[in-house]
Amino acid sequence: MTGLSFRKVAYHMLAVITLLMVIADVLVLLFSKATGEADRDMYTDLSHSWYVSGNAGLSSEPISGQIPLHSDSTFFVYIDIPDDASIKSRSCISFMSYSCAFDLLVEDRIIYSYGKDRLREGKMIPSKVHYVSIPEDAVRKNVKIVFIAGKEGASVNPESSYFGDIEKLSRIFIRKRAYAFFLCAFLVTYGFLLISLCAFNNRHRNITLSTISQGLLLIDLGIYISCYNNTFYYITRDDVASTFVEYLSLYAIPFLVQTAILTNRKKYAHPVHIAVAVIDAGVVIFAALLHYLGVTQVIAMAPAIRTFMALHGIYTFLFIRYIIVNEKKNMRTFLFADAAVTTVDFGLMSLLSLLLVNFILWKQGILHLEFLNSDVKGNFIILGALIYAGCVTLGYFFHSLAVTHEQEISEALHEAAYTDELTGIKNRAFFDHIVGLWQSEDVHGGVITLDLDGLKKINDNIGHEAGDKYIASFASILDTVTPDGCAVCRTGGDEFVILLRYHDSAACNMIMDKISRTVDDYNKENASMPINYSVGAASCEDFTENNVYEILRLSDKRMYEMKDEHHRQGKGGRS
């Protein structure tokens, strides 16, 4: 199997795996929604039970949605825990905090604290899912949370807050985040699959670099979505690492998008665009370095970097649009390879567009959106990631068609290069190629050499068209009687050679007898222009050491001995 065939298999495998993962994706979503509905009796939803405490007392309406907190500010929240006897073993509140410390008090007694030590030390306070045990007598009692904001990015959100048994709540959290788990696994696995295809594309450097950049972008998006939905914690068991990776993976998106563009459209890799990619990489490295050295926190850089990402997104969107418009003007015919590249461009444009929408919503304070009616925290980056993954899949479908087309053209050119135009059998180039392989690989076998008698006479008396028919008829007979796995070649005007791999002298004689009988049958039906030929055969058995060139010389010698005999008998012979 050739390298092209391996790549073709790889692309088909990728398409099948992607289809299976998409099907599994839908099934997991349906499963998470179904189990979520089925488990309603296992917990109480507290998302509408949070009330803000102020100078005028408690707010009359519960808070809803994400509320950003100013740096170093304090925010008081009261939670109304219902008394529902139908739900047993309720001993835990679960909720999420976003970059803020807090104390949870019951009847003004602190029973749980989080992040205050890190706040005093000036360290980053990670986002975290909390499970706080509540005394049984706290039902319909005074439960208060005092949030203390750290750096920029701190917020309070009552969504995904529940009351119930701690074991059941932790199990429910995983079930409700099943879609986020699978989406992360899908994007990361898909990215690694693309990168693994580089082994099949080692003959095409441009395709390899483009594949790597697309794969890295998908992996980064998958990691970000996992961190954003707090499922990355179940992999690392480290809240600080999970929050750090979340922001760093977000900051890396512009660099990976720019790299994907430049590798997908290498001819547009001008110094200015390369400089932008270098700046993008510098932003990620700079943010990580400042965080590591303790100069500032990776969260505190979010407002500035998000603004940079928005401006970068506008520039990159216009850049891709320019590429597509310019390529459309220059495109004279539809090519699958062009469709593959353009589809990826469209996916990047969609991702960038949704990144900009996400930035606008973030500026408006809308940080989280309900995603597909599930508890998965969703924003437009998730939607953009799914569209981009779909475009990459469609792009590789077109690329697979391009590879198949390329293989068909290559095989057609290969066949044309080794095929005799008049007879349709193999030509002298193929003969030389196979003989060279036999000699280098020490292949044992036999050779039959044939030469038509009387061709010159037919050409002179009847015409070259009749002579061509004479040659083609004989070639057809030889092709019919030649065993599978062996080759019949036209090596000259009226000269033919049958290469019989792993055949001995007895097998050569049997084939020559079959040729003789077939020619006799042909001559009975074509008495006006019967076929006359001379033949000789030799095999490795005629020599103590295997040498294909010696076998050919002996076969030629025996064929010319018969030709001389035919000449003496007046059957044509040498001309």
Side-chain angles (χ1 to χ4, degrees):
M1 185 178 291
T2 63
L4 277 172
S5 297
F6 275 119
R7 288 202 303 279
K8 183 178 177 181
V9 171
Y11 293 135
H12 289 171
M13 287 178 61
L14 176 64
V16 171
I17 292 173
T18 303
L19 178 62
L20 292 176
M21 294 188 76
V22 169
I23 294 173
D25 195 13
V26 174
L27 293 177
V28 168
L29 175 61
L30 295 175
F31 170 77
S32 63
K33 292 180 68 176
T35 53
E37 293 297 329
D39 293 336
R40 287 291 182 184
D41 60 340
M42 298 173 61
Y43 63 89
T44 297
D45 189 346
L46 298 179
S47 59
H48 300 290
S49 302
W50 290 41
Y51 296 85
V52 180
S53 174
N55 295 330
L58 291 179
S59 59
S60 59
E61 296 294 331
I63 64 175
S64 62
Q66 191 109 351
I67 301 177
L69 303 182
H70 297 293
S71 179
D72 299 323
S73 64
T74 303
F75 191 75
F76 296 88
V77 172
Y78 285 84
I79 301 178
D80 182 18
I81 301 178
D83 185 11
D84 191 341
S86 63
I87 303 178
K88 301 178 181 179
S89 301
R90 291 187 167 185
S91 57
C92 174
I93 290 178
S94 69
F95 61 95
M96 293 191 63
S97 65
Y98 303 92
S99 306
C100 55
F102 66 87
D103 290 326
L104 190 147
L105 302 87
V106 176
E107 300 293 348
D108 295 324
R109 177 169 57 92
I110 298 175
I111 63 173
Y112 183 82
S113 293
Y114 174 75
K116 297 173 72 174
D117 292 339
R118 297 189 66 86
L119 183 63
R120 282 192 296 269
E121 296 171 2
K123 296 181 180 179
M124 179 183 71
I125 304 175
S127 301
K128 182 178 174 64
V129 180
H130 303 275
Y131 298 92
V132 183
S133 297
I134 303 295
E136 291 184 6
D137 60 356
V139 177
R140 290 199 177 279
K141 296 292 181 67
N142 188 357
V143 177
K144 179 172 68 175
I145 305 178
V146 180
F147 290 99
I148 307 171
K151 298 295 183 181
E152 293 293 334
S155 60
V156 173
N157 191 349
E159 301 296 334
S160 300
S161 59
Y162 305 103
F163 180 50
D165 179 77
I166 184 170
E167 181 179 347
K168 293 178 180 178
L169 289 182
S170 60
R171 198 163 59 241
I172 289 169
F173 176 86
I174 295 176
R175 286 183 182 180
K176 286 180 172 294
R177 296 300 194 281
Y179 188 77
F181 275 112
F182 189 83
L183 188 58
C184 169
F186 168 67
L187 293 173
V188 171
T189 304
Y190 194 8
F192 277 114
L193 279 172
L194 289 178
I195 294 173
S196 68
L197 284 178
C198 295
F200 301 99
N201 283 331
N202 52 13
R203 292 168 57 187
H204 300 272
R205 184 170 177 271
N206 291 349
I207 297 176
T208 298
L209 293 175
S210 177
T211 302
I212 291 174
S213 62
Q214 292 168 17
L216 289 176
L217 179 55
L218 287 170
I219 292 171
D220 183 73
L221 291 171
I223 292 174
Y224 169 72
I225 291 170
S226 177
C227 294
Y228 187 75
N229 283 277
N230 299 96
T231 57
F232 195 74
Y233 167 78
Y234 288 90
I235 301 173
T236 63
R237 294 293 176 180
D238 188 334
D239 296 307
V240 175
S242 179
T243 301
F244 177 76
V245 171
E246 175 187 348
Y247 281 88
L248 212 62
S249 60
L250 176 65
Y251 300 161
I253 291 175
F255 167 70
L256 293 172
V257 168
Q258 187 74 5
T259 305
I261 296 170
L262 296 180
T263 54
N264 197 41
R265 298 284 194 179
K266 191 176 181 183
K267 71 178 182 178
Y268 292 94
H270 302 309
V272 173
H273 305 310
I274 295 175
V276 171
V278 173
I279 293 173
D280 294 337
V283 168
V284 180
I285 297 171
F286 188 66
L289 190 61
L290 290 181
H291 180 90
Y292 179 77
L293 296 176
V295 177
T296 185
Q297 298 174 13
V298 71
I299 296 177
M301 293 178 269
I305 294 182
R306 279 193 170 110
T307 302
F308 166 78
M309 289 176 63
L311 296 175
H312 180 281
I314 295 173
Y315 150 77
T316 309
F317 182 90
L318 296 175
F319 178 38
I320 299 176
R321 183 179 180 278
Y322 162 76
I323 291 174
I324 294 176
V325 171
N326 191 56
E327 289 295 317
K328 186 177 180 181
K329 289 179 180 178
N330 297 329
M331 187 182 295
R332 301 188 182 280
T333 57
F334 176 82
L335 297 175
F336 287 123
D338 293 330
V341 177
T342 304
T343 303
V344 175
D345 288 339
F346 176 78
L348 290 170
M349 286 186 69
S350 301
L351 177 60
L352 289 169
S353 301
L354 293 169
L355 279 170
L356 290 173
V357 173
N358 196 73
F359 172 77
I360 294 170
L361 293 176
W362 173 79
K363 293 294 288 185
Q364 298 296 321
I366 305 174
L367 304 184
H368 299 283
L369 301 172
E370 187 176 348
F371 187 61
L372 296 176
N373 297 319
S374 71
D375 280 359
V376 177
K377 285 164 49 183
N379 61 16
F380 283 93
I381 296 179
I382 293 178
L383 182 59
L386 290 173
I387 293 175
Y388 176 66
C391 288
V392 170
T393 303
L394 185 59
Y396 268 85
F397 169 73
F398 284 127
H399 193 71
S400 178
L401 294 178
V403 168
T404 302
H405 186 58
E406 178 187 348
Q407 184 177 3
E408 290 173 351
I409 293 175
S410 178
E411 290 175 351
L413 292 173
H414 184 273
E415 185 69 19
Y418 284 145
T419 302
D420 179 65
E421 185 176 357
L422 174 64
T423 62
I425 62 175
K426 300 303 181 184
N427 58 13
R428 178 78 195 203
F430 182 83
F431 168 78
D432 292 337
H433 174 68
I434 295 299
V435 169
L437 287 179
W438 279 27
Q439 186 65 22
S440 63
E441 297 176 5
D442 193 30
V443 175
H444 290 63
V447 172
I448 299 176
T449 307
L450 306 103
D451 191 289
L452 281 169
D453 296 336
L455 177 61
K456 186 177 184 304
K457 184 178 179 181
I458 293 174
N459 286 336
D460 293 342
N461 296 336
I462 306 177
H464 286 277
E465 185 177 346
D468 290 344
K469 181 180 178 181
Y470 187 58
I471 294 171
S473 298
F474 186 58
S476 177
I477 291 172
L478 297 181
D479 191 42
T480 302
V481 301
T482 300
D484 293 337
C486 301
V488 53
C489 309
R490 183 188 179 199
T491 56
D494 56 0
E495 298 171 356
F496 299 85
V497 176
I498 301 177
L499 299 172
L500 301 166
R501 187 183 181 96
Y502 303 128
H503 283 59
D504 56 15
S505 298
C508 291
N509 291 330
M510 289 178 61
I511 293 171
M512 286 192 295
D513 289 341
K514 190 173 182 179
I515 294 171
S516 178
R517 293 194 300 271
T518 307
V519 168
D520 288 342
D521 292 339
Y522 174 85
N523 289 342
K524 290 177 182 177
E525 299 179 1
N526 298 272
S528 60
M529 194 171 64
I531 293 176
N532 295 298
Y533 66 96
S534 302
V535 63
S539 73
C540 57
E541 293 178 340
D542 296 311
F543 300 90
T544 56
E545 293 185 4
N546 185 46
N547 186 312
V548 67
Y549 296 108
E550 292 297 328
I551 296 173
L552 282 168
R553 276 191 283 270
L554 179 57
S555 179
D556 272 343
K557 179 184 176 184
R558 291 173 174 172
M559 183 271 292
Y560 280 113
E561 289 175 355
M562 177 180 286
K563 198 168 189 69
D564 289 338
E565 179 64 26
H566 288 172
H567 180 65
R568 288 192 295 270
Q569 295 175 0
K571 294 183 179 180
R574 295 199 186 219
S575 55

